[in-house]
Amino acid sequence: MKELSLNILDIVENSAKAGASLIEVSLIEADHILTMKVIDNGCGMTPDMLKRVTDPFCTTRTTRKVGLGIPLLKLAAEQTGGSVTIESRHQSEYPDNHGTSVTAVFHTDHIDFPPLGDIISTVSTMIQGHPDTDFLFIHKSDGCDVSLDTREMREVLGDIPLSSPEVLGWVCENLREQYSSGDGGTVYL
């Protein structure tokens, strides 16, 4: 994948398929390091699946025999001198505290650092594609502190679906305003 925002969408899709009711996406930039985390409260992975998840020939899909999302993310991170760490607790072993955490670390000053991409559209697509799932999005860098929590939105909106065009338009505009108000932080529009 050429942009990290596509990796985020891929991981979020896996989290949603795992039955997550809350998915947290954070991007923390400091000292030429970008730490990207996606944490969910889905069913988690068994220890066997966790061992094999970075293998491109390991997938839960039935439509094809390869799964390239996590292996490509791992490759992209390692090409910058970074890494990918995946932790997971399967609901069979941890009925009250299960889920998966994917952490990717990138050196942003490396020539092979991939662009983040259109993160505003990514957040909007996450919400539109899974309107019943809650999302917490956080992006912090020098002079930039952006966040969006759909749980807060639900409190204000009541029965209005998050996937309605008006709400999604507001999400995009709100994120644009937050990015624009930063003091020279990274802006992805």
Side-chain angles (χ1 to χ4, degrees):
M1 294 182 206
K2 294 182 180 181
E3 298 176 345
L4 294 179
S5 59
L6 297 176
N7 289 104
I8 291 170
L9 280 176
D10 180 64
I11 297 167
V12 164
E13 203 52 41
N14 291 337
S15 296
K17 287 179 184 175
S21 62
L22 175 62
I23 302 171
E24 301 174 30
V25 176
S26 67
L27 302 166
I28 309 298
E29 298 179 67
D31 300 323
H32 303 289
I33 300 287
L34 169 66
T35 303
M36 179 181 94
K37 286 188 181 185
V38 180
I39 302 169
D40 71 52
N41 64 354
C43 66
M45 290 182 267
T46 63
D48 180 55
M49 181 59 140
L50 185 58
K51 288 178 191 173
R52 299 180 309 126
V53 75
T54 58
D55 178 353
F57 298 104
C58 173
T59 184
T60 58
R61 293 184 181 210
T62 57
T63 56
R64 63 178 187 241
K65 296 183 181 191
V66 294
L68 296 176
I70 295 293
L72 287 175
L73 176 65
K74 183 176 184 278
L75 176 64
E78 289 175 350
Q79 284 180 328
T80 72
S83 62
V84 169
T85 306
I86 304 170
E87 298 172 348
S88 192
R89 297 175 139 211
H90 194 264
Q91 66 184 1
S92 64
E93 295 181 52
Y94 303 92
D96 298 325
N97 187 19
H98 48 81
T100 301
S101 172
V102 177
T103 304
V105 176
F106 297 87
H107 292 262
T108 60
D109 56 351
H110 194 281
I111 192 168
D112 290 325
F113 175 66
L116 183 55
D118 187 350
I119 197 64
I120 293 173
S121 293
T122 298
V123 173
S124 177
T125 301
M126 291 174 354
I127 295 169
Q128 181 179 22
H130 303 285
D132 296 328
T133 303
D134 278 316
F135 293 96
L136 172 60
F137 172 73
I138 297 169
H139 187 174
K140 292 184 179 187
S141 65
D142 293 337
C144 185
D145 193 353
V146 176
S147 66
L148 183 92
D149 190 335
T150 59
R151 295 169 294 187
E152 294 173 356
M153 292 170 57
R154 288 182 204 284
E155 286 180 22
V156 173
L157 295 172
D159 292 337
I160 299 172
L162 296 184
S163 59
S164 72
E166 296 83 8
V167 172
L168 293 172
W170 178 87
V171 165
C172 291
E173 186 58 33
N174 178 274
L175 291 173
R176 275 190 200 94
E177 286 177 12
Q178 288 186 63
Y179 277 111
S180 296
S181 68
D183 299 325
T186 307
V187 179
Y188 303 98
L189 299 175

